[in-house]
Amino acid sequence: MQNIGIVGLGNMGFGIGKNLIANGFNVYGYDLVDSNMQKLRDCGGKNAASIGAVGKQSNVAFVMVVNDKQANEVIFSPGGLADSMASGSVIVITATIGKAAVESIESRLAEKNIHLIDSPVSGGRIGAESGELTLMVSCQRNLFDSCADIFKAIAKDINYVGENCGDGQVVKACLQGLVGCIYSGIFEALMLGAKNGVRAETLYSVIGSSVANTPLFQGSVPAIMNREFSGTGSNIGNTYKDLALTLDLAEKSGVPMMTTSIAKQFFQAGITKFPSEDNQCLIKLLEDVVGVKVEAEKK
């Protein structure tokens, strides 16, 4: 039985760990938050005393952190994964950290004969906990094949997007650019209807049965109507960070992304006003300007 490590047991990392355990893997986890460690223990996982302890116990280790700085610290700090994992082991970066960061990490790990799989994910907390994530995997094909059972345990849609580490980050950048634009359009459409006296339930029903329906629409509109702006698993900080990575790649590639740029500014305003809330908090910015609220009809 393979031993799998996870560094970072927040919304996403915990869900990945829980499903690996349910599928018969030994899981060793580490997180700075004690309650996250306890949740993994309650599911049958094992807590590691340090990042190095995760590395020593694991054939494959997931890195599910926020940004490239944290990923590099987890992997390359003294006693980190690069120091503690055996030659031939595998690190899977499921965080969205950008193409350049992944390419740099892969190059440094090669010196220790540790393999890297670049696999950013989509699906949020709900997808992670249900085992229905979407994976965007890039690495050598034989490496991908060797981890197939692991991926099947955590994901519904497993996409092999290229043999070059960093290809997964590029696909995620394209996806997140579109996500930002879709969110912006949803919130503007809701405000236009509300300002003109159309009930939120009507907009939800009609748009939800049209060609414009998306999982983002289905997830965000009920939360807005119920005034749920925190704890829904879609933190605005993560989306803003992803949009910044998308536009950084676009600038380096010479690709104009005008609509995505506007969406990023929308999210910038939102994270300034509501830094700890979820993506749908952006509707409150528009509500303040327009003077109406998008909410469920009171009965």
Side-chain angles (χ1 to χ4, degrees), residues 142 145 165 216 220 234 247 254:
N142 62 332
D145 292 339
C165 268
L216 297 179
S220 62
S234 59
L247 289 171

Side-chain angles (χ1 to χ4, degrees), residues 54-73:
V54 171
K56 288 178 181 178
Q57 294 286 350
S58 305
N59 312 109
V60 176
F62 284 84
V63 176
M64 180 49 96
V65 293
V66 174
N67 53 42
D68 62 322
K69 181 177 184 292
Q70 291 181 0
N72 275 282
E73 288 174 351

Side-chain angles (χ1 to χ4, degrees), residues 122 127-128 130-135 150-159:
S122 180
S130 65
E132 296 184 340
L133 289 170
T134 295
L135 306 185
I150 297 172
F151 295 145
K152 288 176 183 177
I154 66 172
K156 178 181 179 181
D157 296 304
I158 304 166
N159 302 284

Side-chain angles (χ1 to χ4, degrees), residues 4-17:
I4 310 296
I6 303 175
V7 180
L9 297 170
N11 286 336
M12 304 296 290
F14 167 71
I16 288 172

Side-chain angles (χ1 to χ4, degrees), residues 1-5 24-28 57-60 90 146-150:
M1 183 184 297
Q2 276 190 298
N3 292 340
I4 310 296
F25 294 95
N26 289 322
V27 176
Y28 295 83
Q57 294 286 350
S58 305
N59 312 109
V60 176
V90 177
S146 71
C147 292
D149 289 343
I150 297 172

Side-chain angles (χ1 to χ4, degrees), residues 68-179:
D68 62 322
K69 181 177 184 292
Q70 291 181 0
N72 275 282
E73 288 174 351
V74 165
I75 296 170
F76 296 114
S77 289
L81 295 179
D83 283 348
S84 58
M85 296 188 78
S87 176
S89 298
V90 177
I91 293 175
V92 184
I93 292 184
T94 44
T96 303
I97 63 173
K99 177 185 178 183
V102 164
E103 290 174 338
S104 174
I105 290 170
E106 181 192 32
S107 177
R108 294 178 67 184
L109 285 176
E111 299 172 5
K112 293 180 174 286
N113 194 35
I114 295 175
H115 306 295
L116 183 67
I117 294 178
D118 168 33
S119 180
V121 304
S122 180
R125 183 190 67 194
I126 294 172
E129 292 192 356
S130 65
E132 296 184 340
L133 289 170
T134 295
L135 306 185
M136 291 150 266
V137 188
S138 61
C139 60
Q140 298 173 13
R141 182 75 205 204
N142 62 332
L143 195 56
F144 170 76
D145 292 339
S146 71
C147 292
D149 289 343
I150 297 172
F151 295 145
K152 288 176 183 177
I154 66 172
K156 178 181 179 181
D157 296 304
I158 304 166
N159 302 284
Y160 180 69
V161 302
E163 63 180 14
N164 299 313
C165 268
D167 289 349
Q169 298 290 327
V170 173
V171 173
K172 183 65 183 289
C174 297
L175 172 62
Q176 290 304 97
L178 183 57
V179 164

